[in-house]
Amino acid sequence: MSEQVKKFLYVNRKAPYGTIYAQESLEVVLIGAAFDQDVSMAFLDDGVFQLTKGQDTKGIGLKNFSATFRALGDYEVTKLYVEKESLDERGLTLDDLQNIEYEDEDDDYAEKPSIRLVSRAEMADVMAEQDVVLSF
Amino acid sequence: MAAYDVNGSAVEHDEEGYITNLSEWSKDLADVIAAAEEVNMTDEHWAVVNFLRDYYEEYQIAPAVRVLIKAIKKSLGPDVGNNKYMYELFPYGPAKQACKIAGLPKPTGCV
Amino acid sequence: MATLHTVNKSPFQNPTLISCLGHAKAGDAVLMIEDGVYGAMNGTALSDAMATLGGDVSLYVLGDDLAARGIDAARLADGVTSVDYDGFVDLAANHDRTQNWL
């Protein structure tokens, strides 16, 4: 590859259905994934609400795009950083989030978790090591 | 708005031929859309269409073409799951055209 | 490898500025723009929190946004530097990346 692979981080800080940010972010990630860059997503503040399990949008007439997070592995987006302090503040734990896995092609397609729980300080480190940070 | 005629009942579609109400899809409709697209549906076409519908049901999106081809390669083998053969099945693009026949929205990122 | 962070929401309405300061690393710069400039005032309920959280980062405010809102430079908290649009561009150019907190 002639061009150098850049590290892109999509930062998600908004809850899923009150505004369009969360869904737009996911669409941009899926489109951007075609460009063979090193893509990660960060979930902090109200962004952690995007990943709760058991979302059912039938009653509000919106698409339940939480299912789409589980497709990210197909698009080689396998690093979803979730901030522990943001979960704690909202009374959530990892058990409240849906299970998101990817198949590791280099490890006989073993299924591995995409969600990585990080502290606020570790999240700051993740942000600081990116070439491009996009906020939603 | 334009519509497909499926055994006498009308199923509306947009200007590009994608149906507007995803719940109106049926196998008969798929045959009608395929005919309009000049695609002669074989078992392999159906395998792709069925895969797309299952994928949409599970993930709420139509997969990008490279995701589709990778998955078809895994389920039907490399003879079908490759770029060249998939474009032979669906000359106007395996994701775009097959999604239309499968009654799904145009894939994300498809212009 | 420092980052320029921009924040455009009032900290009295929205916790974005506090979150940004919680994630900025020592040596980063935080530029308050639009309604974010209210976070740069002294003598507010948030001034102490700003001073504590913003201790190891450089705090900037866009002067034109301050002026537009009738906030005199004398109301700026200690340690906050007012810049104009050229200064904004210089900050962006002098950092490795920009993170816009929306």
Side-chain angles (χ1 to χ4, degrees), chain A residues 74-134:
Chain A
D74 293 341
Y75 291 75
E76 278 134 48
V77 177
T78 60
K79 294 177 296 237
L80 309 185
Y81 297 99
V82 175
E83 186 176 281
K84 183 171 186 307
E85 286 86 341
S86 297
L87 288 176
D88 289 347
E89 287 161 8
R90 288 158 184 78
L92 300 175
T93 68
L94 273 188
D95 287 341
D96 296 305
L97 306 186
Q98 61 169 330
N99 197 25
I100 301 174
E101 292 180 325
Y102 71 98
E103 292 182 349
D104 189 346
E105 287 183 38
D106 301 326
D107 190 9
D108 198 24
Y109 295 94
E111 300 220 323
K112 299 185 175 178
S114 296
I115 291 182
R116 304 172 185 207
L117 189 66
V118 296
S119 68
R120 185 159 286 164
E122 288 167 332
M123 185 65 91
D125 291 339
V126 169
M127 290 172 172
E129 68 188 22
Q130 305 297 321
D131 293 300
V132 180
V133 179
L134 295 158

Side-chain angles (χ1 to χ4, degrees), chain A residues 11 13-14 21 44-45 83 120-121 123-125 127-133 135-136, chain C residues 1 3 5 9 14-17 19-20 22-25 96-102:
Chain A
V11 176
R13 296 183 49 252
K14 307 274 199 293
Y21 285 98
L44 58 148
D45 299 337
E83 186 176 281
R120 185 159 286 164
M123 185 65 91
D125 291 339
M127 290 172 172
E129 68 188 22
Q130 305 297 321
D131 293 300
V132 180
V133 179
S135 295
F136 288 90
Chain C
M1 288 299 286
T3 301
H5 304 265
K9 302 288 191 300
N14 181 304
T16 297
L17 180 57
S19 185
C20 167
H23 292 89
K25 296 179 77 76
D96 299 293
R97 71 191 69 74
T98 300
Q99 182 166 352
N100 303 306
W101 292 73
L102 298 178

